[in-house]
Amino acid sequence: MSKVSEQVQNQIRVSDKVVASARTHGAAVAENLAARAQEVQGPLTKATKQSYVAVFEALADGLARSAAELGKAEEDLAAERADDIPVRASRDAAATALATLLGLLRRTIEDHMGAAALATYGLSTESPRVPAKLLQYTKTVARLLGEHPAIVVSPLGSTFNTAVAQQSVIKQSSQLEAAVGDDHREARELETALAARDRAAAAWSDAYQGTASTLEGLYRLAGYRDLAEKVRPTQRKLRGEDEGAEIEGTEPPKEG
């Protein structure tokens, strides 16, 4: 499983505690709320214990689902980032191999045809380091090799053939072009995964704040002030900086 960020782990833990609170204490709180409703509205009130229990269950299920979707989106994003590593390594290796070939070509042309010939074949400047720019630079070199054909024999008997050199450059540059294409595809996939995670995070934020705030209010109405304080949403919890307090069993304060 891909690693989930500490921030999201904390957000999920906060959710789990709020969900657990609703499921653990919902029935007891619902009983108090129903009793309060009966006092206010009379015995025919529709705010029964069962109706309140249904609300607590719906709140818990909704937040649990949002947290699960956030966790899945974060895992997908982490996996996509991990996929980028070998693709980027392959791209960099292809760029290094091509730059090495161009360096050899530059020295060979200078040895066989003199330094002035470097400009003729687009090699008067150093090769770019950025893979995409290196690819464009190499395409110019390959084109100029074809436009200015030459076969030159050095004083020591070695032969330089622009046609052979062009084929070598094209072959090596095609490998970089494929690797750059893979890298661009991975970048788009990463953007998609990041956007999906951000949407899930926004949905979780609304679900968490709405659920926790609703529970806090219901707990206070029922007299469970300590539980209300524990589920109360805060900016630190929302940002994933705080896991929140452990929520244990409690009893409402006794009147009198």
Side-chain angles (χ1 to χ4, degrees), residues 44-236:
L44 298 181
T45 181
K46 295 182 180 180
T48 63
K49 177 180 178 180
Q50 290 75 15
S51 63
Y52 278 116
V53 168
V55 169
F56 282 113
E57 290 177 350
L59 289 170
D61 290 346
L63 181 55
R65 178 174 178 175
S66 292
E69 290 174 347
L70 173 59
K72 176 63 166 55
E74 179 71 8
E75 286 184 4
D76 290 345
L77 177 59
E80 189 56 49
R81 283 174 171 156
D83 288 345
D84 289 350
I85 296 174
V87 172
R88 194 171 298 116
S90 178
R91 179 206 63 188
D92 292 345
T96 299
L98 182 55
T100 300
L101 178 63
L102 290 176
L104 176 61
L105 178 61
R106 185 178 291 107
R107 292 191 298 272
T108 302
I109 289 176
E110 188 171 5
D111 290 343
H112 286 76
M113 305 174 71
L118 294 177
T120 301
Y121 297 105
L123 292 163
S124 57
T125 60
E126 288 296 320
S127 304
R129 294 181 178 273
V130 178
K133 292 182 178 180
L134 175 60
L135 188 58
Q136 291 303 119
Y137 176 92
T138 305
K139 287 182 177 180
T140 299
V141 172
R143 177 176 57 80
L144 291 174
L145 285 169
E147 291 178 358
H148 302 280
I151 299 176
V152 182
V153 180
S154 75
L156 296 178
S158 61
T159 302
F160 171 67
N161 187 331
T162 54
V164 175
Q166 183 188 42
Q167 290 304 310
S168 295
V169 169
I170 290 174
K171 180 179 179 181
Q172 194 67 54
S173 65
S174 66
Q175 295 180 17
L176 176 59
E177 188 168 24
V180 168
D182 290 342
D183 186 49
H184 287 169
R185 185 194 68 251
E186 287 294 330
R188 302 293 83 75
E189 291 176 355
L190 179 60
E191 288 177 357
T192 300
L194 182 59
R197 193 284 308 275
D198 289 346
R199 288 193 298 272
W204 173 85
S205 177
D206 290 340
Y208 164 67
Q209 291 183 87
T211 301
S213 295
T214 300
L215 288 178
E216 179 190 10
L218 291 173
Y219 286 167
R220 288 189 186 282
L221 282 174
Y224 287 79
R225 298 184 185 88
D226 54 345
L227 278 183
E229 193 60 31
K230 289 178 179 179
V231 299
R232 181 174 62 85
T234 66
Q235 286 301 309
R236 285 183 58 82

